[in-house]
Amino acid sequence: MSSTTPHRLRPVTAVALAMVALLPAACADDRPPKGPAQTRGRVISIPVPKSPSAVVVAPDGRRVYVISTPADKISVIDAESSRVIGSARVGSQLSDLVLSSPGETMYVANAGSNSVAVIDPISGEVTKTIATKNPYAMATHPMRDQVYVLNDVTPTTVTPIAVDPDYPWTPPKAETPFPVEKRAEDIAVAPGGDSIYLLGRESVVELEAGTRRTRATYPVGAGSGSIVVHPWKPLAYVVNSSSRSVWVLDTKERRTIGAIPVGFHAYAAAVSPDGRRLYVGVLDSEDSTDHVLTIDTTTNTITGKSIPVGDDPVALAVSPRGNRLYVLNNVSSDVSVVTLPYR
């Protein structure tokens, strides 16, 4: 059941989650991983709780937030020191984490408790818990405080959550979930907010955000993966693990341009803020190091050196200034921090 009564994140009790210098711990299990960040070549490795699954960077670039599903924790990383400075428990079976475009609201999908926690990153309070069935992926509107939640039900549904301009005095509320034709595995929103992209098993379906009618369908090959959009060009990128490639979509002409081979299995990608580079996490063969490839978005070709990272890179995020890349490694349970450009 949804609740509008704020309650504090644990163990955040004395300071704000986003502005924290040191978070007190209620017990030993709630403490950040000990030890400084380790270097892997020219890449810094920051240990986080077991099996991290999603990462976001604050709009000012000062804090990085990571969720770890087994521990049901949000870890807070100080970008300057590259250290975990605190953690907090929230929900059950955390499946995704996003920040609104203004950075004023944090949303955490809790698949285990069938809800989305709405968090004020300044006060560290869970201001509302919104009921929605089995949420597992989310996308934020690029121009206003709104989020779309993908629900793993049959048929797949999307729950829009709108935030009133008077937030936090008027809490966010969920609209009625709407069904989609095919099962979706990931969701993204166009730069102008007028289209929603749903990644299925073999295609991407584009919906008009207002009417929710289908605008186009893009073939992307069979297999699981993720979808990201270019920050200002009418382009979208689908990472396809089975075909070991990145599919490029022209969302103006509404056609699939083609696929860029990446060599091995890949699940996640992130576009630089200036739109010039696409970073792709690649799970290499057993005798090689997992790495990140850089794709030039003008030529759609791989450029520069591959970047060695931890084991099983499942999520990527780029700092607002474009000078740091954060790679979340699920198996090695760490965050690889890469200073850009990588040479």
Side-chain angles (χ1 to χ4, degrees):
M1 179 178 296
S2 298
S3 171
T4 57
T5 303
H7 59 279
R8 289 283 179 182
L9 283 172
R10 296 170 299 176
V12 182
T13 58
V15 290
L17 180 64
M19 304 302 292
V20 64
L22 179 65
L23 295 182
C27 61
D29 185 51
D30 286 332
R31 293 172 188 150
K34 293 183 179 180
Q38 303 296 317
T39 58
R40 185 184 287 108
R42 287 168 289 178
V43 179
I44 295 175
S45 177
I46 306 172
V48 294
K50 185 179 178 180
S51 301
S53 56
V55 57
V56 295
V57 185
D60 62 6
R62 296 176 59 190
R63 296 290 184 265
V64 181
Y65 303 96
V66 174
I67 61 170
S68 299
T69 302
D72 292 329
K73 286 183 179 180
I74 301 175
S75 297
V76 185
I77 297 174
D78 176 74
E80 183 176 358
S81 64
S82 294
R83 295 180 66 98
V84 175
I85 56 174
S87 63
R89 293 183 182 277
V90 54
S92 173
Q93 296 180 26
L94 310 185
S95 54
D96 203 2
L97 165 73
V98 294
L99 279 170
S100 65
S101 297
E104 298 174 352
T105 316
M106 181 185 295
Y107 301 89
V108 180
N110 304 303
S113 55
N114 293 315
S115 64
V116 172
V118 184
I119 301 172
D120 180 348
I122 301 301
S123 68
E125 292 182 345
V126 177
T127 60
K128 186 177 178 67
T129 300
I130 299 175
T132 186
K133 186 70 173 178
N134 201 15
Y136 70 101
M138 298 186 290
T140 54
H141 193 288
M143 302 180 69
R144 63 175 181 265
D145 204 346
Q146 185 174 21
V147 64
Y148 296 93
V149 183
L150 199 57
N151 305 302
D152 188 13
V153 295
T154 304
T156 300
T157 61
V158 177
T159 303
I161 297 176
V163 178
D164 192 276
D166 290 331
Y167 175 79
W169 294 276
T170 303
K173 61 180 180 180
E175 300 177 12
T176 302
F178 62 90
V180 296
E181 293 181 4
K182 298 180 180 179
R183 188 186 188 282
E185 299 183 354
D186 199 13
I187 185 169
V189 182
D194 59 328
S195 288
I196 302 169
Y197 302 101
L198 298 170
L199 172 62
R201 301 273 182 173
E202 299 179 349
S203 62
V204 172
V205 175
E206 178 183 353
L207 303 180
E208 198 279 321
T211 65
R212 294 156 190 173
R213 295 176 179 173
T214 299
R215 280 182 162 174
T217 300
Y218 306 82
V220 292
S224 60
S226 59
I227 182 170
V228 295
V229 296
H230 194 282
W232 51 274
K233 287 183 179 180
L235 296 170
Y237 304 93
V238 173
V239 182
N240 189 307
S241 174
S242 297
S243 66
R244 302 184 178 188
S245 59
V246 175
W247 292 77
V248 185
L249 314 181
D250 182 336
T251 58
K252 181 180 179 180
E253 300 296 331
R254 296 198 167 96
R255 65 185 182 92
T256 301
I257 295 176
I260 306 169
V262 295
F264 294 94
H265 297 294
Y267 292 99
V271 187
S272 61
D274 63 7
R276 296 175 60 188
R277 299 287 185 267
L278 176 72
Y279 301 100
V280 182
V282 178
L283 285 68
D284 216 328
S285 59
E286 294 182 0
D287 58 350
S288 300
T289 302
D290 290 353
H291 57 274
V292 170
L293 294 177
T294 305
I295 294 176
D296 185 316
T297 59
T298 300
T299 62
N300 289 330
T301 57
I302 297 172
T303 183
K305 298 179 180 179
S306 66
I307 305 170
V309 294
D311 193 359
D312 196 7
V314 294
L316 290 78
V318 186
S319 64
R321 293 174 53 194
N323 61 334
R324 285 188 179 181
L325 172 67
Y326 298 91
V327 183
L328 202 60
N329 306 300
N330 183 266
V331 173
S332 56
S333 298
D334 56 13
V335 179
S336 298
V337 185
V338 183
T339 299
L340 300 174
Y342 180 82
R343 296 186 175 91

